[in-house]
mmCIF file of all heavy atoms in Angstrom:
data_model
loop_
_atom_site.group_PDB
_atom_site.id
_atom_site.type_symbol
_atom_site.label_atom_id
_atom_site.label_comp_id
_atom_site.label_asym_id
_atom_site.label_seq_id
_atom_site.Cartn_x
_atom_site.Cartn_y
_atom_site.Cartn_z
ATOM 1 N N GLU A 37 82.183 87.724 104.830
ATOM 2 C CA GLU A 37 83.263 88.575 105.235
ATOM 3 C C GLU A 37 83.746 88.147 106.638
ATOM 4 O O GLU A 37 84.998 88.213 106.891
ATOM 5 C CB GLU A 37 82.688 90.015 105.297
ATOM 6 C CG GLU A 37 83.740 91.074 105.246
ATOM 7 C CD GLU A 37 83.045 92.403 105.036
ATOM 8 O OE1 GLU A 37 82.465 93.018 105.958
ATOM 9 O OE2 GLU A 37 83.048 92.869 103.832
ATOM 10 N N PHE A 65 71.839 87.821 123.001
ATOM 11 C CA PHE A 65 71.871 88.253 121.558
ATOM 12 C C PHE A 65 71.044 87.261 120.722
ATOM 13 O O PHE A 65 70.192 87.625 119.952
ATOM 14 C CB PHE A 65 73.281 88.422 121.081
ATOM 15 C CG PHE A 65 73.285 89.252 119.797
ATOM 16 C CD1 PHE A 65 73.302 90.614 119.826
ATOM 17 C CD2 PHE A 65 73.238 88.641 118.538
ATOM 18 C CE1 PHE A 65 73.308 91.375 118.676
ATOM 19 C CE2 PHE A 65 73.287 89.446 117.359
ATOM 20 C CZ PHE A 65 73.298 90.804 117.454
ATOM 21 N N SER A 107 85.614 81.041 125.087
ATOM 22 C CA SER A 107 85.753 82.474 124.740
ATOM 23 C C SER A 107 84.779 82.881 123.681
ATOM 24 O O SER A 107 84.650 82.203 122.649
ATOM 25 C CB SER A 107 87.195 82.714 124.368
ATOM 26 O OG SER A 107 87.366 84.056 123.969
ATOM 27 N N GLY A 162 95.556 102.481 145.871
ATOM 28 C CA GLY A 162 95.143 103.490 146.747
ATOM 29 C C GLY A 162 94.399 102.932 147.959
ATOM 30 O O GLY A 162 93.917 101.808 147.937
ATOM 31 N N GLU A 194 101.241 117.013 110.540
ATOM 32 C CA GLU A 194 100.811 118.349 110.138
ATOM 33 C C GLU A 194 101.966 119.053 109.553
ATOM 34 O O GLU A 194 101.860 119.749 108.559
ATOM 35 C CB GLU A 194 100.209 119.100 111.337
ATOM 36 C CG GLU A 194 98.743 118.871 111.551
ATOM 37 C CD GLU A 194 97.933 119.341 110.371
ATOM 38 O OE1 GLU A 194 98.066 120.452 109.931
ATOM 39 O OE2 GLU A 194 97.100 118.503 109.892
ATOM 40 N N LEU A 225 101.955 101.760 90.410
ATOM 41 C CA LEU A 225 102.134 103.136 89.978
ATOM 42 C C LEU A 225 103.481 103.739 90.433
ATOM 43 O O LEU A 225 104.170 104.393 89.636
ATOM 44 C CB LEU A 225 101.006 104.054 90.591
ATOM 45 C CG LEU A 225 99.642 104.055 89.924
ATOM 46 C CD1 LEU A 225 98.636 104.885 90.768
ATOM 47 C CD2 LEU A 225 99.640 104.655 88.520
ATOM 48 N N ALA A 300 78.766 97.309 94.849
ATOM 49 C CA ALA A 300 77.920 98.524 95.052
ATOM 50 C C ALA A 300 77.771 98.806 96.546
ATOM 51 O O ALA A 300 77.853 99.940 97.006
ATOM 52 C CB ALA A 300 76.544 98.314 94.437
ATOM 53 N N GLU A 376 104.257 119.360 90.894
ATOM 54 C CA GLU A 376 105.602 119.947 91.289
ATOM 55 C C GLU A 376 106.510 119.676 90.142
ATOM 56 O O GLU A 376 106.789 118.507 89.783
ATOM 57 C CB GLU A 376 106.019 119.256 92.551
ATOM 58 C CG GLU A 376 107.416 119.692 92.978
ATOM 59 C CD GLU A 376 107.933 118.882 94.056
ATOM 60 O OE1 GLU A 376 107.814 117.611 93.931
ATOM 61 O OE2 GLU A 376 108.557 119.370 94.998
#
Side-chain angles (χ1 to χ4, degrees):
E37 200 168 78
F65 197 86
S107 177
E194 272 299 308
L225 279 173
E376 176 192 42

